[in-house]
Amino acid sequence: MINNTKRPQRDQPQINERIRFPQIRVIDNDGSQIGIMTPDEALRIAEEKELDLVLVSETANPPVCRVMDYGKYKFEQEKKAREAKKKQHTADVKEVKMRYKIDDHDYNVRVNQAQRFLKSGDKVKATITFRGREIQHANLAEELLQRMANDLQEIAEVQQAPKKEGRNMMMLLSPKK
């Protein structure tokens, strides 16, 4: 049986004894440069300050290491990642459904809903459903969708023009940048 309890070396961060380069550039925890030296010398300096030696840039010549508290550094990186994730907004597709024989007031309610969705950064899928023989009036439904696109043209752009799909006609609007 193979023992898989040890993680491969490459998955672990390069800190302290794991740094394997002949020469490294060392930066102190306050940001000042200490100089170019061997990893053993740099590790001794870090241990004197009760801190860790962390590889910051592997691609530099010579590689750059920093004397810092690794636990604190890792926590800061995770905190930055959480903040970045919190700030990003995923655009959802919100649907506004209606019939081609919609009343003016009901139509205005749908336009206001679509406006609210677009202002919050979401895309809007406007759908008109046909029942029975209503499908013969697809041209009226298309006119209604075009009217909606015109009413929302200041804040939205048509991403997908009105298109018939089975017993529905739909149009996709996305917020203007």
Side-chain angles (χ1 to χ4, degrees), residues 107-121:
Y107 169 77
N108 290 333
V109 169
R110 296 298 184 275
V111 168
N112 289 337
Q113 279 179 329
Q115 249 175 352
R116 195 172 64 242
F117 295 149
L118 290 163
K119 283 180 181 170
S120 68

Side-chain angles (χ1 to χ4, degrees), residues 38-151:
T38 64
D40 294 332
E41 294 170 6
L43 190 57
R44 195 171 54 254
I45 293 171
E47 286 171 350
E48 285 172 9
K49 297 181 179 188
E50 296 180 359
L51 295 170
D52 299 304
L53 186 66
V54 181
L55 182 68
V56 179
S57 175
E58 199 172 339
T59 56
N61 191 11
V64 179
C65 293
R66 189 171 188 153
V67 176
M68 66 171 83
D69 182 355
Y70 180 68
K72 191 174 178 181
Y73 170 73
K74 192 174 172 186
F75 174 75
E76 290 296 324
Q77 295 298 95
E78 288 170 359
K79 192 174 172 185
K80 283 180 188 172
R82 279 194 304 271
E83 287 297 317
K85 190 176 180 184
K86 202 184 290 183
K87 282 189 173 85
Q88 64 182 211
H89 176 267
T90 55
D92 296 328
V93 177
K94 305 278 187 166
E95 190 169 20
V96 176
K97 287 186 173 185
M98 54 190 156
R99 306 273 302 281
Y100 80 94
K101 302 189 262 195
I102 194 168
D103 199 46
D104 279 342
H105 176 265
D106 295 331
Y107 169 77
N108 290 333
V109 169
R110 296 298 184 275
V111 168
N112 289 337
Q113 279 179 329
Q115 249 175 352
R116 195 172 64 242
F117 295 149
L118 290 163
K119 283 180 181 170
S120 68
D122 297 320
K123 293 180 181 180
V124 174
K125 179 180 177 182
T127 307
I128 295 180
T129 310
F130 301 109
R131 288 190 191 155
R133 295 184 190 156
E134 291 178 353
I135 204 152
Q136 297 169 349
H137 303 290
N139 59 336
L140 296 174
E142 192 169 347
E143 286 173 20
L144 184 66
L145 288 174
Q146 289 297 339
R147 178 177 156 202
M148 182 179 241
N150 289 337
D151 290 347

Side-chain angles (χ1 to χ4, degrees), residues 152-167:
L152 295 170
Q153 70 183 359
E154 283 114 41
I155 60 167
E157 51 192 33
V158 177
Q159 190 173 338
Q160 184 180 336
K163 171 175 126 181
K164 205 164 126 187
E165 290 182 353
R167 293 211 157 270

Side-chain angles (χ1 to χ4, degrees), residues 3-4 29 33 47-48 107 138-139 171:
N3 185 4
N4 285 335
N29 59 343
Q33 284 202 31
E47 286 171 350
E48 285 172 9
Y107 169 77
N139 59 336
M171 169 179 72

